[in-house]
Amino acid sequence: MPDASNRSERSDLLQGTLDVLILKTLAAQAMHGWGIAQRIQQLSDDVLAVNQGSLYPALHRLEEKGWIAAEWGSSENNRRARYYTLTRAGRRQLADETESWERFAAAVGRVLAAT
Amino acid sequence: MFGRVLGTVRSVFSRGKMESDLDEELRFHLEREIEKNVRRGMSPENARTEALRLFGGLEKTKDEVREADRAVLLETVLQDIRYGARSLRKNPGYAAAAVLTLALGIGANTAIFSVVHGVLLQSLPYGGGDRLVRLRVDAPGAGIQDGRFAAPEINDIRALSRTVEGVVEYHSMFFVLLGGTEPQRVQTGVVSANYFDTLGVAPIVGRTFLPGEDKKGAEAVLVLSHPYWMRAFGGDPSVVGRVFTMNDRPHTVIGVLPPIPGYPEDNDVYMPVSACPFRSDPEMETNRQMGMMQAFGRLKPGVRFDAAKSDLASVAARMVHDHPSDYPESVHLTLLPVSLREELTRQARPTFLLLFGTVGLVLLLACANVANLSLARLVRREREMALRSALGAGRGRLTRQLLTESLLISLTGGLVGVGLAAAGRGLLVHFAKRFTPRAPEIAVDVPVLVFSLAVSIAVGVILGLLPALSSKRSLSASLTDGRDASGATPARLRVRNLLIASQVAISFVLLVGAGLMLRTLWKLSHVDTGFRTEHVLTARLSLNFTRYSKKEERLAFQDELLARMAHEPGVQSIALAGTFPLNEGGPANGQYDVEGRRAPSREQKPRADFQRVSAAYFTTIGVPVLRGRVLADTDRVEAPIVAVINDQMARHVWPGEDPIGKRIEIETDPGKMSPVEIVGIVGNVRQYAIADAPVDQVFLSIRQFPGLGTCLIRTDGDPKRLARVLRATVHTIGPEQPIDRIRTLDEVRAGALDTPRLTATLLLLFASLALTITATGIAGVIGFTVGQRRQEFGIRMALGARPSSVLAMVLGQGMRQVLIGLAIGIAVALAVSRLWASLLYEVSPTDPPTFLAVALILGAVAAIACLVPARRATAVDPMIALRSA
């Protein structure tokens, strides 16, 4: 029921932002939670620090929505780690969210430029 | 299969797994963070502290994740419910059929469970609970089975038993209660003062008996039973303190009992032993031969039943040792504890368990039908499921959605079912009353509701998981598959065929059960009872013994009643008797000696059923006189004693001889044997139960042994018209003489069949329900298959197949499952037949005609159920079917 499920997080920009960042990060390759946090921090030049307290709830939420899937694999140093991958639905969601984020950012930019 | 069930269940309910996963995942994160810090040059200790600081606490994070999971779960559950409700609303036919089918199934189970729970499962409604026992005495050597106790025997048990406490005595008699609007015959329980303390029954108004109120010289007091209080005094609490006259002395009402089982008898009032004119005879206290009481007690705390058994055995041994003249070795006196719970439910158990099994099977059928419906519906929804799967819904999520829908259906069905069961409570209590005094305890209460809820949830879960189990293929695969190749996956087809076959098998078993009960009922209602029931009025007329304590007084009353009534218009003949065939009450067993062959000891004397009747008794109830004469008005108290015997006794005691003119000896007064001459032989009657073969009977003259029990009148027309006249006449002769239970003999006989009739009716009801469910199930499956194969039929007919051969093909495929089901059903019915053997009369549990008839009926119904949808197959227009392909 994708129709009903989008409603709640549109109102919550920050949560929605973390969601789209996670989806984006996973678009390139499968990753474990720690890797996702490092990757976001790295790509944002340390501007965005991901708090674990919000990362894992977000991962569970996204998994439940069916946008990402999780499975156990072994990490770089051969330890068991939970890897997340983007599903087809997740890829489509990423495209939608990217587009709406760009529209939003552009709109905010225009407003700020005008003043 | 089992592994898959587990896997599916786990995917939906895997809380524990998720917890450990989360723990491991977070630990991994923390360790990586520490490693990173170490790489940046921190000491391991600092690295750890820093990582933990950033992390903000492991448990806190876990909580946040759990919180998020819960929110998501709640949201999806609500979503599933909304979506499920919408999807069911869009398909009201399916929803209504499924809800109704389950409502009938769950309703039937709730109803019967309320009976099983109320009567068989819950503890006794006595404070003494399940430790209460009835004490049983047997003396097989003297032909005494489950005999009565004499007062000194009960005192012995009180004194000697180390395992049973609170031993109390009980017997029941009727007395006449005066002081109300008209004289009332009240059944009176005569008990020890601590009787209700032992049972653990507290009064709802006033008090019960105090210690000492059963001692000689105590004021006479009465406690009212709840039903009598409601019936006679409209539940008025101010009845406490009122004084009534019984047995020529004042009795004060001191209290009212709560509703408890009418056990051992349905007593109207209770009095202490000192108030009973018979029991207070001083002779009673010492004479061990004057047994008339039952005894109850409570196992002491911690005492096991077996211990009580051996303890009572040693009490019996001690009694035999101390009183050798009362208990000669040869009588084998034994004492036994009998669990009161067992006692109250023994008769009900087989019937109720049979019914419980029956409704369980009906529920299985209902589930099979709904499973069929939802499988068919699922095929139509396969694309919807595939689409949602493609949109990212995981398999667990889809399964949960289906589960939610089936739970919605089963819980709605359960709710309606509970309503049905609650509405039927009155009928069930009425039914159960014939088996157990615990019937009024039947209620749709909390445990019953919990049962129904559990059944509804179980049904919903099974039906919801079934679709997921019946197809191995992933749901998303069906989207790439293109057209509806999905409907007929071999696995699903197998499941459906299995459902048909098992439905037929279950229906067969249920129908056989109902059929056997119907045959039993038919046999019972065609038993020749030996008497004619039509146009006969009966009335209970027990003489108030304090008013008519002398033989002459009783005789005078009898003669006057006969004389007055004989000339009333409409009366063909009138008779008085102690009792009459199929009336309530137990056998009147007595011993006698045949003159010339006296038995060497008391216990070896032959036994017969002794009845006291007036001259016109045999004419009135239409028993033929085979030889000799009947009793006559001239057989008076002072004349030689004569008797009429039945054919059974004539053949049994005097085989090949003419009994007329022979003599027997009976004990007419304590210790006094009197000769009795046989003057006539009458036909056999079924005296105590229609199913019981006739026993030896001796009929004595009620003029030689006066004492009334009943009055019988054969009439010209409707017997009930004479009821008023009879009542008025009785009250003219004896204004304080109660007369009640006025019924026709037809009613009495019909009443004797109430129990098997009700059982048969219930079984037939459930079996018909099963047959209907099965027929609709078969029609549904065949109809669905026909719909799926429209094109195939079109092609066949385009290629020249005749409609009749297509019809035969569809019918053949359906009937194959039906025949398999019948074969299984026959095998199962043969295997379980002994379960209902105890309920049958002169019908074998494997009665071939019943099996054959049921097989034919079930086969015919199934064939029609196949035929109706199969005809649609022949109506396919080849061109349309091909084009729509």
Side-chain angles (χ1 to χ4, degrees):
Chain A
M1 290 89 2
D3 56 349
S5 52
N6 283 348
R7 232 174 288 142
S8 58
E9 57 273 312
R10 263 193 211 123
S11 59
D12 186 345
L13 178 67
L14 286 176
Q15 191 184 40
T17 313
L18 177 58
D19 287 0
V20 74
L21 291 178
I22 293 171
L23 294 179
K24 175 71 187 170
T25 314
L26 290 177
Q29 62 178 114
M31 262 183 226
H32 46 65
W34 186 77
I36 294 171
Q38 296 305 310
R39 184 88 181 134
I40 292 175
Q41 208 166 339
Q42 186 191 339
L43 285 177
S44 66
D45 296 331
D46 284 342
V47 172
L48 300 175
V50 179
N51 172 10
Q52 289 74 9
S54 39
L55 174 67
Y56 285 96
L59 284 171
H60 276 242
R61 210 166 42 238
L62 293 174
E63 187 187 351
E64 187 56 42
K65 297 234 155 74
W67 293 337
I68 61 176
E71 62 184 332
W72 288 95
S74 63
S75 73
E76 308 84 77
N77 49 4
N78 270 333
R79 278 215 307 264
R80 237 165 78 82
R82 204 164 149 84
Y83 277 89
Y84 293 90
T85 51
L86 201 60
T87 63
R88 265 192 292 178
R91 212 167 282 283
R92 198 165 28 247
Q93 180 68 18
L94 174 60
D96 289 353
E97 297 254 337
T98 311
E99 193 195 314
S100 69
W101 172 258
E102 278 163 359
R103 262 209 316 272
F104 176 76
V108 172
R110 275 198 297 278
V111 171
L112 293 178
T115 45
Chain B
M1 183 74 184
F2 187 62
R4 257 166 65 212
V5 173
L6 269 186
T8 311
V9 170
R10 202 177 291 133
S11 75
V12 181
F13 306 102
S14 55
R15 291 277 114 193
K17 175 93 166 50
M18 264 172 61
E19 270 297 300
S20 67
D21 277 0
L22 177 61
D23 196 58
E24 190 175 352
E25 189 174 17
L26 292 182
R27 278 185 196 291
F28 173 78
H29 189 110
L30 192 60
E31 281 162 25
R32 293 303 301 262
E33 196 69 33
I34 295 168
E35 281 168 27
K36 190 181 86 179
N37 291 344
V38 170
R39 271 204 308 277
R40 282 183 182 167
M42 291 191 199
S43 70
E45 204 166 307
N46 283 348
R48 184 166 186 84
T49 319
E50 175 62 18
L52 276 174
R53 192 189 57 76
L54 193 69
F55 211 85
L58 198 58
E59 281 309 314
K60 186 162 164 283
T61 310
K62 271 197 201 168
D63 277 345
E64 280 169 314
V65 173
R66 281 190 213 114
E67 182 57 40
D69 285 350
R70 263 198 298 275
V72 169
L73 186 71
L74 184 67
E75 192 192 334
T76 51
V77 164
L78 289 175
Q79 223 172 51
D80 283 352
I81 292 176
R82 271 198 304 274
Y83 185 78
R86 199 193 314 150
S87 142
L88 291 177
R89 264 205 307 278
K90 274 195 296 201
N91 207 336
Y94 162 79
V99 165
L100 185 69
T101 310
L102 290 183
L104 291 174
I106 297 175
N109 275 274
T110 303
I112 300 302
F113 180 77
S114 74
V115 174
V116 169
H117 175 258
V119 173
L120 300 183
L121 296 182
Q122 72 183 352
S123 1
L124 291 178
Y126 301 124
D130 297 341
R131 285 191 299 131
L132 291 173
V133 289
R134 184 170 76 83
L135 304 174
R136 176 183 161 135
V137 58
D138 294 85
I144 294 173
Q145 277 195 355
D146 198 359
R148 294 288 176 260
F149 287 95
E153 295 172 328
I154 293 176
N155 286 332
D156 280 354
I157 298 173
R158 282 194 188 113
L160 297 173
S161 171
R162 292 186 314 271
T163 56
V164 184
E165 61 183 9
V167 175
V168 290
E169 63 165 270
Y170 165 94
H171 73 271
S172 184
M173 316 191 82
F174 91 87
F175 297 115
V176 178
L177 184 112
L178 300 171
T181 45
E182 71 171 294
Q184 285 190 60
R185 177 193 199 278
V186 286
Q187 195 66 41
T188 308
V190 182
V191 298
S192 309
N194 59 335
Y195 180 76
F196 295 109
D197 303 328
T198 289
L199 287 185
V201 173
I204 53 169
V205 184
R207 61 176 178 88
T208 54
F209 307 122
L210 298 175
E213 274 184 327
D214 55 354
K215 294 286 171 288
K216 197 170 156 52
E219 293 281 308
V221 287
L222 292 178
V223 168
L224 308 185
S225 80
H226 194 266
Y228 180 69
W229 180 53
M230 296 305 289
R231 196 169 65 235
F233 304 103
D236 176 10
S238 72
V239 72
V240 171
R242 270 180 73 178
V243 180
F244 295 88
T245 303
M246 272 169 106
N247 308 322
D248 299 329
R249 58 189 280 214
H251 286 62
T252 310
V253 174
I254 55 166
V256 178
L257 296 177
I260 50 171
Y263 174 85
E265 271 105 342
D266 254 324
N267 289 304
D268 300 315
V269 304
Y270 288 84
M271 63 168 53
V273 291
S274 54
C276 171
F278 292 98
R279 176 65 181 81
S280 49
D281 179 348
E283 174 82 7
M284 278 296 234
E285 289 303 325
T286 52
N287 190 332
R288 291 179 175 266
Q289 297 305 322
M290 294 175 85
M292 65 186 289
M293 276 88 80
Q294 299 192 58
F296 298 90
R298 211 172 37 215
L299 297 185
K300 286 184 179 167
V303 167
R304 296 251 300 273
F305 201 76
D306 286 342
K309 237 176 173 170
S310 52
D311 176 44
L312 285 175
S314 58
V315 171
R318 178 71 185 274
M319 285 162 70
V320 169
H321 177 264
D322 290 354
H323 307 277
S325 58
D326 287 302
Y327 315 109
E329 277 303 321
S330 59
V331 306
H332 300 299
L333 181 81
T334 62
L335 290 175
L336 263 185
V338 182
S339 148
L340 203 58
R341 181 191 185 116
E342 162 80 15
E343 178 93 359
L344 280 158
T345 56
R346 190 188 312 119
Q347 223 200 334
R349 191 172 290 271
T351 306
F352 290 180
L353 291 183
L354 178 71
L355 282 173
F356 199 38
T358 301
V359 292
L361 291 179
V362 169
L363 182 62
L364 263 184
L365 282 179
C367 287
N369 246 24
V370 175
N372 252 331
L373 283 175
S374 56
L375 281 181
R377 180 163 172 263
L378 193 68
V379 171
R380 286 193 287 274
R381 291 176 74 190
E382 197 125 280
R383 279 156 184 266
E384 170 203 331
M385 290 294 162
L387 192 67
R388 288 176 51 196
S389 175
L391 288 173
R395 191 185 162 114
R397 185 82 171 71
L398 286 184
T399 304
R400 206 155 64 199
Q401 173 63 47
L402 291 175
L403 201 58
T404 309
E405 277 178 33
S406 75
L407 278 171
L408 271 179
I409 287 178
S410 70
L411 288 172
T412 314
L415 200 66
V416 178
V418 167
L420 290 177
R425 180 189 171 265
L427 284 174
L428 283 173
V429 172
H430 178 72
F431 166 74
K433 257 190 191 150
R434 311 193 161 272
F435 297 92
T436 168
R438 296 193 73 183
E441 293 174 57
I442 295 169
V444 180
D445 49 12
V446 173
V448 173
L449 290 177
V450 168
F451 169 83
S452 309
L453 184 68
V455 168
S456 304
I457 290 175
V459 165
V461 168
I462 291 167
L463 291 179
L465 294 184
L466 196 68
L469 295 173
S470 70
S471 91
K472 271 202 177 73
R473 44 194 271 133
S474 86
L475 284 166
S476 61
S478 54
L479 194 74
T480 53
D481 235 17
R483 301 201 50 253
D484 57 339
S486 49
T489 58
R492 288 243 172 100
L493 206 60
R494 257 205 314 280
V495 169
R496 266 193 229 117
N497 283 341
L498 194 71
L499 286 175
I500 290 192
S502 48
Q503 281 191 316
V504 170
I506 292 172
S507 300
F508 184 85
V509 176
L510 294 181
L511 284 167
V512 162
L516 291 171
M517 268 323 282
L518 282 180
R519 290 264 292 162
T520 293
L521 187 63
W522 191 86
K523 290 260 183 184
L524 283 174
S525 51
H526 286 79
V527 165
D528 178 9
T529 52
F531 60 97
R532 290 181 23 239
T533 57
E534 64 283 358
H535 302 306
V536 178
L537 188 74
T538 74
R540 182 164 69 176
L541 182 61
S542 316
L543 287 184
N544 183 350
F545 81 96
T546 51
R547 223 18 73 94
Y548 301 94
S549 57
K550 295 199 191 73
K551 265 186 184 179
E552 297 72 34
E553 291 166 340
R554 298 203 286 276
L555 189 61
F557 182 96
Q558 291 172 189
D559 285 350
E560 189 174 354
L561 181 60
L562 287 180
R564 280 176 185 257
M565 284 302 294
H567 301 295
E568 287 294 335
V571 175
Q572 279 190 355
S573 69
I574 173 164
L576 301 173
T579 183
F580 55 89
L582 304 182
N583 192 14
E584 56 269 285
N589 246 310
Q591 289 180 306
Y592 63 95
D593 266 319
V594 180
E595 199 181 60
R597 28 174 161 146
R598 180 167 296 174
S601 70
R602 189 186 170 86
E603 49 270 22
Q604 280 170 314
K605 289 181 191 224
R607 296 180 161 269
D609 182 55
F610 281 80
Q611 300 288 336
R612 287 170 298 115
V613 300
S614 71
Y617 175 78
F618 301 105
T619 335
T620 306
I621 64 167
V623 175
V625 180
L626 304 178
R627 227 148 358 122
R629 67 168 176 97
V630 293
L631 304 163
D633 289 341
T634 49
D635 299 319
R636 302 168 164 283
V637 178
E638 59 280 6
I641 304 172
V642 295
V644 166
I645 60 172
N646 67 353
D647 193 35
Q648 150 83 21
M649 178 160 163
R651 290 169 193 278
H652 174 209
V653 183
W654 292 277
E657 285 181 81
D658 185 358
I660 293 187
K662 294 272 192 303
R663 284 165 195 274
I664 59 173
E665 286 186 339
I666 60 172
E667 189 172 9
T668 44
D669 285 301
K672 184 189 171 219
M673 301 299 285
S674 310
V676 178
E677 186 184 337
I678 313 284
V679 296
I681 301 170
V682 294
N684 296 331
V685 298
R686 304 271 169 141
Q687 182 76 25
Y688 296 105
I690 290 180
D692 292 352
V695 294
D696 289 8
Q697 281 191 300
V698 178
F699 298 92
L700 300 168
S701 168
I702 206 164
R703 304 200 78 231
Q704 295 184 321
F705 299 91
L708 268 181
T710 54
C711 174
L712 300 147
I713 305 175
R714 177 165 290 275
T715 63
D716 289 338
D718 178 10
K720 285 271 166 112
R721 282 205 321 245
L722 276 161
R724 202 184 46 78
V725 179
L726 176 63
R727 206 188 275 274
T729 309
V730 167
H731 286 150
T732 314
I733 307 170
E736 295 177 355
Q737 176 56 46
I739 172 167
D740 59 3
R741 285 192 72 74
I742 299 182
R743 299 172 294 170
T744 68
L745 202 49
D746 276 328
E747 288 169 349
V748 173
R749 176 172 174 153
L753 289 181
D754 274 355
T755 305
R757 186 182 301 113
L758 279 166
T759 309
T761 308
L762 275 183
L763 285 179
L764 190 65
L765 182 78
F766 292 136
S768 315
L769 188 60
L771 188 62
T772 314
I773 290 175
T774 302
T776 54
I778 294 173
V781 171
I782 302 290
F784 179 76
T785 322
V786 167
Q788 292 276 304
R789 294 171 63 190
R790 279 173 66 85
Q791 282 162 261
E792 179 200 330
F793 295 141
I795 293 169
R796 280 172 189 271
M797 286 197 282
L799 292 177
R802 278 191 315 237
S804 61
S805 65
V806 169
L807 187 71
M809 186 180 75
V810 175
L811 205 57
Q813 280 166 358
M815 288 307 281
R816 219 178 82 112
Q817 306 308 321
V818 171
L819 290 179
I820 293 175
L822 276 181
I824 299 172
I826 291 172
V828 173
L830 288 176
V832 302
S833 60
R834 60 184 181 82
L835 287 182
W836 47 59
S838 70
L839 302 174
L840 303 181
Y841 172 72
E842 286 195 350
V843 178
S844 152
T846 57
D847 183 48
T850 306
F851 274 58
L852 186 66
V854 167
L856 287 178
I857 291 172
L858 188 51
V861 170
I864 293 170
C866 286
L867 198 61
V868 172
R871 281 168 56 90
R872 286 218 329 263
T874 64
V876 174
D877 180 333
M879 289 321 290
I880 293 178
L882 287 177
R883 275 202 208 105
S884 69

